[in-house]
Amino acid sequence: MAAESKGLRAVRPLERSAAFPTPGMTLTRREAKTLHSGFTSRSISSGIGAATRPFPPFEGVGSPRPSALLHLPNPLGSPFPGTLSLQRPTSVTVFLNSLTPKFYVALTGTSSLISGLIFIFEWWYFHKHGTSFIEQVSISHLRPLMGGTETSISEPGSPSSNRESETSRHNLSECKVWRNPLNLFRGAEYRRYTWVTGKEPLTYYDMNLSAQDHQTFFTCDTDFLRPSDTVMQKAWRERNPPARIKAAYQALELNNDCATAYVLLAEEEATTIVDAERLFKQALKAGETIYRRSQQCQHQSPQHEAQLRRDTNVLVYIKRRLAMCARKLGRIREAVKIMRDLMKEFPPLTMLNIHENLLESLLELQAYADVQAVLAKYDDISLPKSAAICYTAALLKTRTVSDKFSPETASRRGLSTAEINAVEAIHRAVEFNPHVPKYLLEMKSLILPPEHILKRGDSEAIAYAFFHLQHWKRIEGALNLLQCTWEGTFRMIPYPLEKGHLFYPYPSCTETADRELLPTFHHVSVYPKKELPFFIHFTAGLCSSTAMIALLTHQFPEIMGVFAKAVKKLKFQEIK
């Protein structure tokens, strides 16, 4: 035992000097690293059992006690005490120390690139669909997985369910798509625009709605009795314009008095308004003959009554388009006469909104008293409103005060009674359709109006401004008064839009329908303006910050290295 103790004493100073430095001893960085790695290698070779065996009795000054090794800090949470716990933090430290600034540049650059791509995709998806892709996926797929599908179900007879059903019914009526009463000619105007610009002004959804309208107006159950009508029934269902035109000529070969065949050729084959008017006059001659014949047989059977309704629709359509041709060719009084006769002869067909064609023609004649008379008849609470009615009423009241209106003078002396009436009329019109002023004030560029419009939507605003901008410009000071007062409307409307001021709350479905009606090259106006989703801000900030870190690491690698080591050291201290 004494010999063993003596031998141990002989070896101890060497082990102590190699593995455990005495107090006050100074080591270089390389010696400290060698010391650390040697201690770790011995710990690994000793195994788990060696690490957990009792330590032999150490003697000598400066010899560490077993408790000093057994209570070493264990930052990685190893389940084994003692020297084995030094293995993992040492390897992590060695790995982090071996990283060069190029690695951090590559890391932050890659992160910046990925976040930038996500940001661009989110921005594009938001402008195309009006919602965030990440939020939509989270709500649709992740929320059900996390148990967030609980919805409040109200009883059928409860007041809340009644309010919800009434609101949904109103939203459905508000989002109904209407035929544009001032729609252009497809061959003479829309197609010429395509030839010049190479852009398609009509969407597939819009043209499909027109095809449905044509089948409703120009076909009936008795078409099989006349071969020409059978051919035209197939023609209205054709998607390809040349095929429709070819079918129209086939119908004329079977019956030279086929009015609907002339209508199709006038709408789609004629390249000028003059050619379209010539074909519509031929259609009118054939249509009047068929209409008189149907009137004589209307009481014979229900099939004959359906045929009379169809022939009536054809005749009204032809006369209306002839009036529009006369308006475009400068024969405005002739156009006004045709429209007035139509409204007197067929009063039940108010749903065709012929009065809006009449309003525009009377404004071109500057017959403001006649315009007021038409508004007195159709600007009624029981009739559906339109941008043409609301903004024309505002234009007439603006006309009486706009030439003398001055914002500076009005701020000093206040508004007169006539000016208050004009401002209120503008506020009423803007509340009905808030998209119109940007087009009238030329804050947004106009495009060709679609064949169908959504009331209170961007499509209706385009259709109104396309034809009525010239009437606002003709009245001195009208646009100036509109510019000074139209934004005040939004201070009167409650926010959020749970209720309106003078009309029903603004529907939330207009954006989706307008995107279907308007071409893709047009930037759809959205009201109320949607704020950018959180994930767009987040990805933009992430992309900017990582790009900045990558740039700083590339330009100042030493400073950023010191900064990275300081952050790393701070993190390890927090873990300990």
Side-chain angles (χ1 to χ4, degrees):
M1 187 66 182
E4 186 179 337
S5 250
K6 188 175 180 182
L8 182 59
R9 287 195 198 97
V11 175
R12 278 301 166 191
L14 178 62
E15 240 180 55
R16 185 174 62 241
S17 63
F20 297 96
T22 59
M25 182 178 178
T26 305
L27 299 178
T28 64
R29 184 175 180 182
R30 180 176 298 177
E31 290 172 345
K33 189 172 181 181
T34 305
L35 170 65
H36 204 178
S37 60
F39 175 74
T40 307
S41 61
R42 282 200 305 276
S43 302
I44 296 173
S45 62
S46 62
I48 296 178
T52 56
R53 282 198 300 266
F55 284 85
F58 291 114
E59 295 181 9
V61 182
S63 300
R65 293 184 302 234
S67 59
L69 290 177
L70 288 173
H71 293 86
L72 287 174
N74 191 6
L76 295 184
S78 172
F80 305 110
T83 58
L84 183 65
S85 63
L86 294 175
Q87 175 192 355
R88 292 188 181 177
T90 304
S91 60
V92 172
T93 306
V94 171
F95 172 74
L96 292 177
N97 287 333
S98 65
L99 298 178
T100 62
K102 292 183 179 180
F103 170 80
Y104 293 105
V105 172
L107 178 64
T108 52
T110 305
S111 302
S112 176
L113 176 62
I114 295 174
S115 57
L117 293 176
I118 296 174
F119 168 69
I120 293 172
F121 174 77
E122 275 283 292
W123 184 271
W124 169 83
Y125 193 89
F126 174 75
H127 278 275
K128 184 174 179 61
H129 301 283
T131 184
S132 168
F133 175 78
I134 300 178
E135 290 180 2
Q136 187 176 8
V137 170
S138 302
I139 294 173
S140 303
H141 298 87
L142 300 182
R143 189 177 177 185
L145 296 177
M146 298 174 65
T149 57
E150 297 179 2
T151 55
S152 58
I153 302 175
S154 56
E155 297 181 0
S158 62
S160 60
S161 65
N162 294 336
R163 285 195 299 269
E164 290 173 2
S165 60
E166 182 181 355
T167 304
S168 62
R169 232 182 293 117
H170 175 70
N171 287 340
L172 287 175
S173 62
E174 285 286 345
C175 294
K176 177 183 177 182
V177 176
W178 298 72
R179 181 83 177 178
N180 183 7
L182 297 169
N183 66 307
L184 306 178
F185 293 89
R186 191 173 288 185
E189 292 172 307
Y190 287 122
R191 192 170 300 168
R192 291 180 64 184
Y193 177 83
T194 304
W195 292 342
V196 173
T197 63
K199 298 178 180 179
E200 287 291 340
L202 298 177
T203 62
Y204 174 78
Y205 176 71
D206 193 13
M207 292 188 289
N208 187 44
L209 291 176
S210 298
Q212 296 177 14
D213 292 341
H214 295 154
Q215 294 178 47
T216 303
F217 292 156
F218 303 146
T219 62
C220 66
D221 296 335
T222 61
D223 285 343
F224 66 93
L225 299 175
R226 292 184 288 195
S228 59
D229 290 341
T230 304
V231 174
M232 288 306 301
Q233 191 176 39
K234 296 179 181 178
W236 296 121
R237 296 174 181 173
E238 284 286 346
R239 293 184 179 181
N240 190 15
R244 288 196 297 269
I245 294 172
K246 182 179 179 181
Y249 279 113
Q250 291 177 356
L252 289 177
E253 291 176 0
L254 296 172
N255 180 12
N256 196 33
D257 290 334
C258 183
T260 53
Y262 287 115
V263 168
L264 191 148
L265 294 176
E267 288 286 351
E268 301 199 17
E269 190 188 39
T271 56
T272 62
I273 301 298
V274 175
D275 294 340
E277 185 182 36
R278 175 179 55 80
L279 290 169
F280 272 121
K281 285 181 178 179
Q282 291 179 277
L284 178 63
K285 183 179 178 181
E288 286 177 338
T289 303
I290 298 172
Y291 176 73
R292 286 193 295 266
R293 193 182 305 156
S294 299
Q295 275 185 316
Q296 297 172 358
C297 306
Q298 62 176 320
H299 301 295
Q300 293 181 5
S301 65
Q303 289 79 12
H304 286 86
E305 292 181 2
Q307 188 172 343
L308 177 62
R309 285 195 297 270
R310 192 275 308 274
D311 295 336
T312 303
N313 291 336
V314 172
L315 184 62
V316 171
Y317 185 90
I318 293 171
K319 288 186 175 181
R320 181 179 187 170
R321 297 303 263 179
L322 277 173
M324 295 178 69
C325 289
R327 164 69 183 90
K328 293 175 185 294
L329 295 174
R331 305 194 305 271
I332 304 173
R333 296 189 181 278
E334 178 185 345
V336 169
K337 183 179 183 304
I338 296 174
M339 294 173 191
R340 288 187 183 277
D341 293 342
L342 270 177
M343 295 169 66
K344 289 179 182 178
E345 189 176 357
F346 304 100
L349 297 179
T350 54
M351 63 183 218
L352 298 177
N353 296 326
I354 302 176
H355 58 276
E356 293 191 15
N357 299 80
L358 180 61
L359 282 174
E360 197 278 327
S361 299
L362 291 174
L363 286 173
E364 182 65 21
L365 290 174
Q366 301 184 35
Y368 297 113
D370 294 336
V371 173
Q372 186 63 52
V374 175
L375 286 177
K377 182 177 180 180
Y378 289 97
D379 192 5
D380 188 79
I381 192 172
S382 61
L383 296 175
K385 296 289 183 294
S386 66
I389 290 177
C390 294
Y391 278 90
T392 301
L395 178 63
L396 293 185
K397 293 185 178 181
T398 300
R399 171 177 167 268
T400 59
V401 298
S402 60
D403 55 339
K404 300 177 182 178
F405 177 79
S406 172
E408 294 79 10
T409 305
S411 61
R412 287 197 306 268
R413 62 172 173 78
L415 295 176
S416 63
T417 304
E419 290 173 341
I420 291 175
N421 293 334
V423 171
E424 289 178 350
I426 290 175
H427 288 175
R428 173 177 179 261
V430 173
E431 182 181 353
F432 182 83
N433 194 319
H435 309 284
V436 174
K438 290 186 177 181
Y439 294 104
L440 293 179
L441 298 173
E442 298 181 273
M443 299 167 64
K444 287 195 67 175
S445 58
L446 276 172
I447 60 172
L448 295 185
E451 293 182 339
H452 290 81
I453 60 173
L454 182 69
K455 289 193 175 183
R456 307 186 75 177
D458 191 29
S459 52
E460 185 192 34
I462 293 172
Y464 173 80
F466 187 86
F467 293 98
H468 289 261
L469 176 59
Q470 55 182 334
H471 307 317
W472 281 82
K473 287 184 174 181
R474 186 180 294 121
I475 298 176
E476 183 182 359
L479 291 176
N480 180 38
L481 181 58
L482 176 67
Q483 185 177 11
C484 294
T485 57
W486 75 278
E487 291 182 341
T489 309
F490 306 114
R491 292 193 292 268
M492 304 167 55
I493 302 176
Y495 187 83
L497 303 177
E498 71 276 358
K499 62 179 181 178
H501 180 61
L502 299 174
F503 298 99
Y504 284 106
Y506 190 81
S508 59
C509 58
T510 56
E511 180 186 358
T512 304
D514 280 332
R515 290 185 187 278
E516 295 287 338
L517 290 172
L518 299 173
T520 55
F521 58 83
H522 172 72
H523 183 67
V524 177
S525 177
V526 179
Y527 175 79
K529 187 176 181 180
K530 292 185 177 180
E531 297 181 355
L532 289 177
F534 163 76
F535 285 102
I536 289 184
H537 293 287
F538 176 75
T539 53
L542 182 63
C543 175
S544 304
S545 59
T546 52
M548 183 61 67
I549 293 174
L551 179 62
L552 292 175
T553 307
H554 184 267
Q555 294 293 331
F556 310 102
E558 295 157 356
I559 299 176
M560 294 301 293
V562 173
F563 176 75
K565 290 179 180 178
V567 172
K568 177 186 65 176
K569 183 177 179 181
L570 181 63
K571 290 294 183 183
F572 274 123
Q573 288 179 354
E574 291 178 357
I575 293 174
K576 291 178 182 179

